[in-house]
Amino acid sequence: MALFNKETPEEKTAKIMAQYGLENISADYAPYVKDIAADLAGNKLIEVGTLLQGNGVDSAKMSYLSAIMKQNWIIIRLLDEIAKK
């Protein structure tokens, strides 16, 4: 198991786009996806810390925010499909 991930920024962006079904999205949006992914990477550390702390209210908030984030990825994908028609 490697301690450090040697993925290039482009590989990370492609991985995130695949994870959320954004492979066919316009290439114009790829930089934005990269920026969002970088912001979310920092939030993952906060989320882990909150879960380890054991505060149920904060854990629930993080779960809701995660669901909203996933819904936003779906909305982005659908809006891109509409724009291509």
Side-chain angles (χ1 to χ4, degrees), residues 28-73:
D28 296 338
Y29 297 116
Y32 301 112
V33 172
K34 179 181 171 185
D35 291 343
I36 293 168
D39 291 343
L40 292 175
N43 290 343
K44 286 292 182 189
L45 295 175
I46 295 169
E47 183 178 347
V48 170
T50 301
L51 291 174
L52 292 176
Q53 187 179 6
N55 188 338
V57 174
D58 287 340
S59 295
K61 288 178 188 176
M62 296 301 280
S63 295
Y64 288 131
L65 291 173
S66 178
I68 291 169
M69 178 202 61
K70 290 175 184 175
Q71 289 172 348
N72 286 340
W73 288 120

Side-chain angles (χ1 to χ4, degrees), residues 17 22-31 80 84:
M17 290 179 80
L22 300 170
E23 302 96 339
N24 297 325
I25 201 165
S26 174
D28 296 338
Y29 297 116
D80 186 61
K84 288 179 180 176

